[in-house]
Amino acid sequence: MTSSSTTMKTPLLDSANRSGNQHTTPASSGSISAQESPSKVTTLRQRVKCYFDLTRLNKFPLGNILIIWPCLWGLTMASFDTRLPRAEFATQALVFTLGSTLLHSTACVINDICDVDLDQQVERTKNRPLASGVLPLSGAWTLWGVMTACCFGFLAFANSPARYMGTICMFPLHVLYPLMKRWTYWPQAWLGLAMNWGFLVAWLNVKPTISATDYYIMATMLLGMDCWTIVYDTEYACQDREDDAKVGVGSTALLFGGHVRLILGGFAIVFVSSLIVVGILNGQTTVYYVVSCGGAAVHLTWQLLTWEVDNVNDCGDKFRSNGDMGYLIWAGILLDYVLQR
């Protein structure tokens, strides 16, 4: 296991370390030292707000929407194939939306618990509730336990195969993700499994007995969505490349270096190709190919061509735009489902 204080060796990291004199040190950029007394929350309202911020619900739908989309895509594609009644479809869509939102927030809590020592050294994250010391770790662990129990409560609405897959999503996918940046330069690939596993859960909840074609659909879509996650989370990680290099954690933003735009273009092509292949396997109509596949292709092309890699604000904007692209993809799938009725 690579400790957080051991720098992984790549040319980009070595370059960043050599230029370290041009940047502030982790301590001078606002980390909490052992001698400093962290700010204290003095009222119940302040405490509730800090715990709310810990779940990232204060930023809804920023990250939540990216875990919701795979669930809704899988649910709608399976509903199109099985002609699921609209009332049942709407009920499942609501449950998956709420459950995914809860799961994402639960994952954010365990992420901040595991990363508290790293977050204190990164400019963008040093003021988070745990990193800044305004909340105790014991309280965060309690919150995580309660939220995890609630996640299992949502799985009670699913059938047995979907419930099993949902459990895998929580353990080990989401629980181990915070540690991946300490072990590998590919944490985004693991995150792709965690964020998109809901497609499988939703598919199985509609079609618990699956055929060989269903296997191909789920495997192809999971591969494609994993590539999509690598795209958007690498854009996100480019905000922290300098700090990550100093702290010694890995990311594809560091690994890809100056070739990041070109490499992400390859992953984007795989994602769009997976949408096309899955559409063929599932018998989607022209509407799907024009709206979902075409919309995704145009949006990703715009993202990568206009992305200012060294502009922190634009990295955040491009990351957020992927949530908007999800509407395009779902629109084509949903139109196929509605128009077949």
Side-chain angles (χ1 to χ4, degrees):
M1 179 174 180
T2 303
S3 71
S4 62
S5 60
T6 301
T7 303
M8 300 179 180
K9 297 298 184 182
T10 67
L12 181 58
L13 282 174
D14 291 340
S15 174
N17 289 334
R18 287 194 299 269
S19 61
N21 293 334
Q22 300 175 11
H23 308 292
T24 58
T25 63
S28 64
S29 63
S31 61
I32 305 298
S33 69
Q35 291 77 28
E36 291 174 335
S37 298
S39 302
K40 299 296 183 181
V41 290
T42 57
T43 67
L44 177 61
R45 181 176 180 178
Q46 289 175 326
R47 186 174 297 275
V48 169
K49 182 184 183 303
C50 287
Y51 279 112
F52 188 72
D53 291 349
L54 185 62
T55 67
R56 305 289 200 281
L57 285 172
N58 59 312
K59 297 182 178 180
F60 184 88
L62 180 59
N64 306 79
I65 197 68
L66 295 171
I67 199 172
I68 291 171
W69 284 134
C71 296
L72 293 183
W73 297 345
L75 170 64
T76 311
M77 279 188 162
S79 299
F80 168 78
D81 183 51
T82 60
R83 296 180 178 270
L84 189 73
R86 289 185 181 179
E88 186 174 350
F89 169 79
T91 300
Q92 289 202 36
L94 177 61
V95 171
F96 273 107
T97 298
L98 294 175
S100 298
T101 300
L102 175 63
L103 177 59
H104 178 267
S105 293
T106 306
C108 287
V109 174
I110 191 65
N111 185 81
D112 280 14
I113 290 172
C114 294
D115 282 357
V116 63
D117 60 323
L118 302 178
D119 286 345
Q120 290 171 350
Q121 303 177 64
V122 176
E123 185 66 27
R124 185 179 56 83
T125 60
K126 67 182 182 181
N127 291 320
R128 286 177 175 175
L130 293 182
S132 62
V134 298
L135 288 181
L137 278 173
S138 59
W141 277 115
T142 300
L143 176 63
W144 178 76
V146 171
M147 295 178 72
T148 299
C150 292
C151 287
F152 279 111
F154 269 95
L155 285 179
F157 291 96
N159 59 34
S160 182
R163 194 179 307 123
Y164 173 76
M165 295 300 285
T167 301
I168 293 176
C169 186
M170 289 190 284
F171 304 98
L173 294 181
H174 278 290
V175 170
L176 288 184
Y177 165 68
L179 302 177
M180 288 297 155
K181 65 176 70 71
R182 302 171 188 255
W183 297 343
T184 176
Y185 277 100
W186 291 90
Q188 283 74 20
W190 185 274
L191 179 65
L193 296 177
M195 293 292 286
N196 299 301
W197 202 259
F199 184 95
L200 311 186
V201 179
W203 188 277
L204 290 171
N205 204 48
V206 176
K207 301 182 68 177
T209 303
I210 57 178
S211 64
T213 300
D214 294 319
Y215 277 112
Y216 290 134
I217 288 173
M218 290 190 292
T220 302
M221 197 64 179
L222 186 60
L223 171 63
M225 292 185 299
D226 201 339
C227 291
W228 174 48
T229 301
I230 291 173
V231 171
Y232 68 67
D233 203 61
T234 301
E235 292 172 341
Y236 186 80
C238 281
Q239 298 176 102
D240 302 325
R241 284 199 292 186
E242 292 182 0
D243 285 331
D244 286 349
K246 288 185 292 184
V247 172
V249 296
S251 76
T252 48
L254 290 173
L255 181 66
F256 297 162
H259 304 291
V260 62
R261 190 194 311 272
L262 179 63
I263 295 174
L264 292 189
F267 282 109
I269 290 172
V270 174
F271 174 52
V272 175
S273 298
S274 74
L275 291 175
I276 295 171
V277 171
V278 167
I280 295 171
L281 292 173
N282 203 45
Q284 303 290 153
T285 72
T286 304
V287 173
Y288 167 81
Y289 295 108
V290 172
V291 178
S292 299
C293 301
V298 171
H299 196 284
L300 286 166
T301 300
W302 165 79
Q303 270 189 59
L304 294 174
L305 289 180
T306 63
W307 179 29
E308 299 175 30
V309 179
D310 296 321
N311 184 326
V312 172
N313 291 331
D314 194 55
C315 289
D317 289 341
K318 291 301 187 291
F319 166 76
R320 281 186 287 271
S321 73
N322 283 274
D324 298 331
M325 186 181 71
Y327 288 100
L328 282 173
I329 296 173
W330 191 43
I333 306 171
L334 187 61
L335 283 171
D336 260 3
Y337 169 70
V338 172
L339 293 176
Q340 76 167 352
R341 306 301 297 174

